[in-house]
Amino acid sequence: MSMKERIDSVLERVRNAAARVGRDPSEIKLVAVTKRFPPGVVEEAVGHGLRVFGENYVQEAVSKIEALRERGYGLEWHFIGHLQKNKARKAVEYFDWIETVDSMALMKRLMRVAREVQKETDVLIQVNISEDPGKAGLMPNEVLPFFRELMAMDAGPVRIQGLMTITRFVASPREAREWFKDLRLLRDHVVEQLGGSIALPHLSMGMSNDFEVAIEEGATIVRVGQALFGPRPTPKTRGELNV
Ligand SMILES: *Cc1c(COP(=O)(O)O)cnc(C)c1O
């Protein structure tokens, strides 16, 4: 299949999943995950109409973003990897969204650097909804206390848009459905408990193998790599593979 055919197929599946639950497909953002793919792949995807891209590693992303910036495509970049505090400034400078805020210390750092560089930054709080010991993110019972603490702070140019999750790997997307639903219900609970003082409109959940189920359960952002671009190139060194 060509890239164009893959993209068309994913977009159609997004539309169909939305239609099954009576949602408007235009409220679902497709983040094309280009980690380990060269800038040429991003450029080809831009040629087929994609504008929103996701990357896991700050350094790798910076070179791609710079390579494409001069073209003036007006791309939107989402950081979806584990963010170390010492990379927060670079992440704010280069990315429009940071989807993986997984601690108060990182949140505070992002607020500080966003204020310093005066950059509006959309963020999501990462939740380890399937309580996978190998994954980052707040545990579900930590989320409400986290938001209560946040509410007392001045976020400056940081806009807290909602929740994000990476679920445990399961063979069948049907098994992931409960987790996606749990994330939505957790979001609803937090918003209600905070008396509607924050909206949290976004839920980033679902990848190549389960984005349709995620959409049926309320995802507004899906992060899709291999279904759009085929198998990802394997990393050159072991050290690179710290996803
Ligand atoms: C790599 C990655 C994706 C995309 O995975 P695919 O299986 O290629 O769709 C989505 N989200 C995160 C956080 C990732 O690291």
Side-chain angles (χ1 to χ4, degrees):
M1 252 203 284
S2 68
M3 187 192 293
K4 170 91 170 76
E5 288 166 330
R6 285 205 181 92
I7 292 173
D8 287 345
S9 157
V10 167
L11 292 174
E12 190 185 348
R13 289 164 65 192
V14 167
R15 283 194 299 272
N16 289 342
R20 282 197 288 281
V21 290
R23 296 183 59 197
D24 177 356
S26 72
E27 70 184 34
I28 296 153
K29 197 188 276 270
L30 173 66
V31 177
V33 177
T34 44
K35 62 166 176 260
R36 303 212 295 267
F37 286 105
V41 167
V42 182
E43 189 139 34
E44 189 182 344
V46 170
H48 298 309
L50 299 188
R51 289 293 178 275
V52 185
F53 294 92
E55 286 280 339
N56 291 56
Y57 310 99
V58 174
Q59 213 44 53
E60 179 190 332
V62 162
S63 59
K64 275 183 227 181
I65 295 170
E66 283 181 344
L68 288 151
R69 199 176 252 171
E70 285 122 53
R71 311 292 180 97
Y73 293 131
L75 305 183
E76 180 178 303
W77 292 92
H78 287 228
F79 186 78
I80 60 170
H82 177 67
L83 185 58
Q84 291 161 300
K85 284 202 294 299
N86 62 5
K87 302 252 173 73
R89 179 177 302 269
K90 261 229 154 98
V92 165
E93 283 169 353
Y94 282 87
F95 286 87
D96 305 289
W97 286 67
I98 295 172
E99 295 202 11
T100 44
V101 178
D102 59 1
S103 73
M104 189 54 78
L106 177 60
M107 187 73 211
K108 284 180 177 162
R109 180 71 67 99
L110 291 171
M111 287 174 176
R112 177 156 63 77
V113 296
R115 200 173 278 122
E116 283 168 11
V117 304
Q118 297 188 29
K119 170 112 188 272
E120 299 210 328
T121 307
D122 291 303
V123 305
L124 299 173
I125 308 304
Q126 184 177 356
V127 181
N128 189 356
I129 198 75
S130 57
E131 306 195 32
D132 178 345
K135 292 219 155 62
L138 303 184
M139 286 298 168
N141 66 353
E142 296 171 332
V143 175
L144 182 58
F146 183 91
F147 275 96
R148 287 202 197 283
E149 195 179 338
L150 265 187
M151 290 297 93
M153 294 159 53
D154 173 12
V158 171
R159 295 184 293 229
I160 301 149
Q161 295 279 16
L163 306 181
M164 177 270 197
T165 196
I166 308 168
T167 54
R168 251 174 227 266
F169 180 79
V170 281
S172 132
R174 270 174 301 144
E175 294 177 58
R177 184 185 293 277
E178 286 305 306
W179 290 322
F180 296 147
K181 186 172 164 186
D182 286 347
L183 192 73
R184 167 165 52 81
L185 294 175
L186 177 61
R187 185 272 312 273
D188 294 348
H189 177 70
V190 169
V191 170
E192 192 211 305
Q193 289 295 307
L194 296 176
S197 54
I198 188 165
L200 305 179
H202 287 283
L203 292 173
S204 174
M205 52 191 195
M207 322 203 310
S208 286
N209 61 339
D210 53 17
F211 68 88
E212 290 153 295
V213 167
I215 288 169
E216 289 172 18
E217 292 300 334
T220 61
I221 298 174
V222 289
R223 311 173 309 265
V224 179
Q226 307 197 64
L228 294 168
F229 305 124
R232 241 185 315 273
T234 47
K236 286 180 215 73
T237 62
R238 270 158 187 273
E240 244 178 280
L241 189 64
N242 59 346
V243 246

